[in-house]
Amino acid sequence: MKRKKILPAVICLYISAAASAENNAPDTSFKRSDPSLLYTTREYFIDISDDCYGNVVCIQDMFMLVRFNVGIDRSQTIHQIGFKNVDLSFEAKAPMATSYTKYATTKCTSKSTQNGWNVFLEMYPGQAGSLVQKCTFDAKVEQHHISGILTFYMQDGTTSVIRIQ
């Protein structure tokens, strides 16, 4: 039987012109085609509380930064957007375990819809046989906000779902 529990999380927005190491596939549909726009990177930081989620997994020290290529006007309004990359790291353990294992994204696949405004990320932070097999983030991007569902898939087939608002 699969158990799910949906919990709220907090996000922050950062705007940056800096690039980072890219280990995942960017949205190839993003084109820098409008000379009146400034092209840069917009970053969304996602933070969840150190806690045990749904009696499935305990997470601590989570860091998730989702980057998008954007074309903005002078008032910072996004007119073009495309997924660039994601950094995800956290420590996890089973609820009854005593020690945490550190995880970091080693592979990510992405699918964008709605001209880049919706993105589905599938991230693989562990190795075969590890507690957390993969994470997904089904996100909707707005002008200054990102929301969606972050799901942790466990080795035993259970999932833990966290709503990002």
mmCIF file of all heavy atoms in Angstrom, residues 83-101:
data_model
loop_
_atom_site.group_PDB
_atom_site.id
_atom_site.type_symbol
_atom_site.label_atom_id
_atom_site.label_comp_id
_atom_site.label_asym_id
_atom_site.label_seq_id
_atom_site.Cartn_x
_atom_site.Cartn_y
_atom_site.Cartn_z
ATOM 1 N N PHE A 83 13.302 26.186 -18.894
ATOM 2 C CA PHE A 83 14.058 25.530 -17.830
ATOM 3 C C PHE A 83 15.539 25.481 -18.199
ATOM 4 O O PHE A 83 15.903 25.181 -19.327
ATOM 5 C CB PHE A 83 13.527 24.112 -17.604
ATOM 6 C CG PHE A 83 14.355 23.300 -16.671
ATOM 7 C CD1 PHE A 83 14.343 23.556 -15.308
ATOM 8 C CD2 PHE A 83 15.180 22.299 -17.147
ATOM 9 C CE1 PHE A 83 15.123 22.809 -14.431
ATOM 10 C CE2 PHE A 83 15.966 21.549 -16.282
ATOM 11 C CZ PHE A 83 15.934 21.805 -14.919
ATOM 12 N N LYS A 84 16.392 25.778 -17.222
ATOM 13 C CA LYS A 84 17.837 25.726 -17.426
ATOM 14 C C LYS A 84 18.449 24.540 -16.680
ATOM 15 O O LYS A 84 19.025 23.657 -17.289
ATOM 16 C CB LYS A 84 18.488 27.024 -16.962
ATOM 17 C CG LYS A 84 19.982 27.061 -17.205
ATOM 18 C CD LYS A 84 20.578 28.398 -16.834
ATOM 19 C CE LYS A 84 22.075 28.390 -17.126
ATOM 20 N NZ LYS A 84 22.680 29.653 -16.786
ATOM 21 N N ASN A 85 18.349 24.516 -15.346
ATOM 22 C CA ASN A 85 18.874 23.401 -14.576
ATOM 23 C C ASN A 85 18.350 23.444 -13.145
ATOM 24 O O ASN A 85 17.652 24.373 -12.756
ATOM 25 C CB ASN A 85 20.405 23.346 -14.609
ATOM 26 C CG ASN A 85 21.055 24.567 -14.009
ATOM 27 O OD1 ASN A 85 20.461 25.286 -13.221
ATOM 28 N ND2 ASN A 85 22.291 24.827 -14.379
ATOM 29 N N VAL A 86 18.715 22.436 -12.382
ATOM 30 C CA VAL A 86 18.293 22.348 -10.975
ATOM 31 C C VAL A 86 19.447 21.785 -10.156
ATOM 32 O O VAL A 86 20.203 20.933 -10.628
ATOM 33 C CB VAL A 86 17.023 21.478 -10.821
ATOM 34 C CG1 VAL A 86 17.272 20.050 -11.242
ATOM 35 C CG2 VAL A 86 16.477 21.538 -9.406
ATOM 36 N N ASP A 87 19.586 22.292 -8.944
ATOM 37 C CA ASP A 87 20.489 21.731 -7.947
ATOM 38 C C ASP A 87 19.623 21.254 -6.796
ATOM 39 O O ASP A 87 18.801 22.018 -6.281
ATOM 40 C CB ASP A 87 21.481 22.777 -7.419
ATOM 41 C CG ASP A 87 22.532 23.152 -8.442
ATOM 42 O OD1 ASP A 87 22.963 22.262 -9.197
ATOM 43 O OD2 ASP A 87 22.915 24.331 -8.490
ATOM 44 N N LEU A 88 19.803 20.007 -6.413
ATOM 45 C CA LEU A 88 19.042 19.444 -5.298
ATOM 46 C C LEU A 88 19.995 18.643 -4.425
ATOM 47 O O LEU A 88 20.729 17.784 -4.922
ATOM 48 C CB LEU A 88 17.925 18.524 -5.808
ATOM 49 C CG LEU A 88 17.187 17.695 -4.750
ATOM 50 C CD1 LEU A 88 16.376 18.600 -3.820
ATOM 51 C CD2 LEU A 88 16.275 16.675 -5.405
ATOM 52 N N SER A 89 19.991 18.946 -3.144
ATOM 53 C CA SER A 89 20.739 18.133 -2.188
ATOM 54 C C SER A 89 19.947 18.105 -0.881
ATOM 55 O O SER A 89 19.228 19.052 -0.559
ATOM 56 C CB SER A 89 22.154 18.668 -1.970
ATOM 57 O OG SER A 89 22.111 19.935 -1.365
ATOM 58 N N PHE A 90 20.067 17.003 -0.176
ATOM 59 C CA PHE A 90 19.369 16.844 1.099
ATOM 60 C C PHE A 90 19.952 15.636 1.819
ATOM 61 O O PHE A 90 20.704 14.847 1.244
ATOM 62 C CB PHE A 90 17.861 16.663 0.889
ATOM 63 C CG PHE A 90 17.487 15.481 0.035
ATOM 64 C CD1 PHE A 90 17.212 14.240 0.599
ATOM 65 C CD2 PHE A 90 17.420 15.605 -1.337
ATOM 66 C CE1 PHE A 90 16.885 13.152 -0.195
ATOM 67 C CE2 PHE A 90 17.084 14.526 -2.145
ATOM 68 C CZ PHE A 90 16.818 13.296 -1.566
ATOM 69 N N GLU A 91 19.591 15.505 3.079
ATOM 70 C CA GLU A 91 19.918 14.319 3.851
ATOM 71 C C GLU A 91 18.611 13.627 4.184
ATOM 72 O O GLU A 91 17.617 14.292 4.483
ATOM 73 C CB GLU A 91 20.679 14.694 5.120
ATOM 74 C CG GLU A 91 22.056 15.254 4.834
ATOM 75 C CD GLU A 91 22.842 15.594 6.082
ATOM 76 O OE1 GLU A 91 22.321 15.414 7.207
ATOM 77 O OE2 GLU A 91 23.997 16.026 5.943
ATOM 78 N N ALA A 92 18.599 12.294 4.099
ATOM 79 C CA ALA A 92 17.364 11.545 4.341
ATOM 80 C C ALA A 92 17.658 10.288 5.147
ATOM 81 O O ALA A 92 18.770 9.761 5.125
ATOM 82 C CB ALA A 92 16.721 11.169 3.016
ATOM 83 N N LYS A 93 16.604 9.849 5.849
ATOM 84 C CA LYS A 93 16.672 8.576 6.569
ATOM 85 C C LYS A 93 15.252 8.050 6.719
ATOM 86 O O LYS A 93 14.279 8.795 6.605
ATOM 87 C CB LYS A 93 17.335 8.744 7.935
ATOM 88 C CG LYS A 93 16.497 9.487 8.969
ATOM 89 C CD LYS A 93 17.198 9.506 10.321
ATOM 90 C CE LYS A 93 16.361 10.153 11.406
ATOM 91 N NZ LYS A 93 15.294 9.310 11.929
ATOM 92 N N ALA A 94 15.151 6.757 6.969
ATOM 93 C CA ALA A 94 13.854 6.171 7.299
ATOM 94 C C ALA A 94 13.453 6.699 8.676
ATOM 95 O O ALA A 94 14.320 7.012 9.502
ATOM 96 C CB ALA A 94 13.957 4.655 7.294
ATOM 97 N N PRO A 95 12.154 6.818 8.965
ATOM 98 C CA PRO A 95 11.727 7.391 10.245
ATOM 99 C C PRO A 95 12.325 6.723 11.489
ATOM 100 O O PRO A 95 12.601 7.389 12.470
ATOM 101 C CB PRO A 95 10.209 7.238 10.211
ATOM 102 C CG PRO A 95 9.878 7.258 8.764
ATOM 103 C CD PRO A 95 11.008 6.560 8.087
ATOM 104 N N MET A 96 12.564 5.429 11.460
ATOM 105 C CA MET A 96 13.109 4.736 12.633
ATOM 106 C C MET A 96 14.637 4.631 12.611
ATOM 107 O O MET A 96 15.239 4.188 13.575
ATOM 108 C CB MET A 96 12.513 3.334 12.752
ATOM 109 C CG MET A 96 11.027 3.359 12.990
ATOM 110 S SD MET A 96 10.659 4.357 14.443
ATOM 111 C CE MET A 96 9.044 3.814 14.833
ATOM 112 N N ALA A 97 15.279 5.036 11.534
ATOM 113 C CA ALA A 97 16.738 4.956 11.430
ATOM 114 C C ALA A 97 17.390 6.021 12.303
ATOM 115 O O ALA A 97 16.759 7.010 12.679
ATOM 116 C CB ALA A 97 17.174 5.127 9.978
ATOM 117 N N THR A 98 18.653 5.822 12.613
ATOM 118 C CA THR A 98 19.343 6.770 13.486
ATOM 119 C C THR A 98 20.241 7.746 12.744
ATOM 120 O O THR A 98 20.527 8.819 13.240
ATOM 121 C CB THR A 98 20.197 6.016 14.532
ATOM 122 O OG1 THR A 98 21.106 5.159 13.840
ATOM 123 C CG2 THR A 98 19.318 5.206 15.468
ATOM 124 N N SER A 99 20.702 7.378 11.538
ATOM 125 C CA SER A 99 21.615 8.273 10.826
ATOM 126 C C SER A 99 21.074 8.638 9.448
ATOM 127 O O SER A 99 20.352 7.868 8.816
ATOM 128 C CB SER A 99 22.998 7.637 10.698
ATOM 129 O OG SER A 99 22.920 6.438 9.958
ATOM 130 N N TYR A 100 21.459 9.833 9.002
ATOM 131 C CA TYR A 100 21.035 10.359 7.712
ATOM 132 C C TYR A 100 22.065 10.026 6.641
ATOM 133 O O TYR A 100 23.260 9.918 6.927
ATOM 134 C CB TYR A 100 20.884 11.889 7.774
ATOM 135 C CG TYR A 100 19.622 12.348 8.466
ATOM 136 C CD1 TYR A 100 19.573 12.481 9.851
ATOM 137 C CD2 TYR A 100 18.490 12.661 7.727
ATOM 138 C CE1 TYR A 100 18.423 12.912 10.484
ATOM 139 C CE2 TYR A 100 17.333 13.099 8.352
ATOM 140 C CZ TYR A 100 17.308 13.221 9.719
ATOM 141 O OH TYR A 100 16.166 13.645 10.344
ATOM 142 N N THR A 101 21.594 9.906 5.396
ATOM 143 C CA THR A 101 22.458 9.724 4.229
ATOM 144 C C THR A 101 22.329 10.966 3.366
ATOM 145 O O THR A 101 21.221 11.462 3.143
ATOM 146 C CB THR A 101 22.034 8.480 3.413
ATOM 147 O OG1 THR A 101 22.114 7.338 4.268
ATOM 148 C CG2 THR A 101 22.923 8.288 2.201
#
